[in-house]
Amino acid sequence: MAKGTGPAGGASAPRRRQEKLGVVVSDKMDKTVVVEVQRLVMDPLYHKYLRRRSRFMAHDEKDECKMGDRVRIEESRPLSRRKRWVVREIVERASAE
């Protein structure tokens, strides 16, 4: 079977890119931000929800994200050793205090 063809012989649809919503925790790098994504995981024994966090380096082409902004990031090809995400949109700006 040729590469990229499904079982019915037609071409398979491209994989949908994963998206995540998180908060910018660092914007010190050039065109790169660190986004922290939180998720809830249930403890298997005590059935309590625990907060787990993951930090992703994301490419910010226009360098417009600031610390505290809520952003949507999308999976992409590897851009550097640790950067595999791209900032798609700024959902909510951080409050200027």
Side-chain angles (χ1 to χ4, degrees), residues 21-38:
L21 199 65
V23 178
V24 175
V25 293
S26 173
D27 63 345
K28 294 181 179 180
M29 295 166 277
D30 187 36
K31 293 189 177 183
T32 303
V33 291
V34 178
V35 179
E36 189 172 280
V37 176
Q38 285 194 345

Side-chain angles (χ1 to χ4, degrees), residues 29-33 56-61 76-86:
M29 295 166 277
D30 187 36
K31 293 189 177 183
T32 303
V33 291
F56 300 99
M57 286 187 152
H59 184 67
D60 180 19
E61 182 61 41
S76 72
R77 66 181 175 84
L79 299 168
S80 70
R81 183 166 65 112
R82 295 189 57 210
K83 199 161 63 165
R84 277 123 175 85
W85 297 84
V86 175

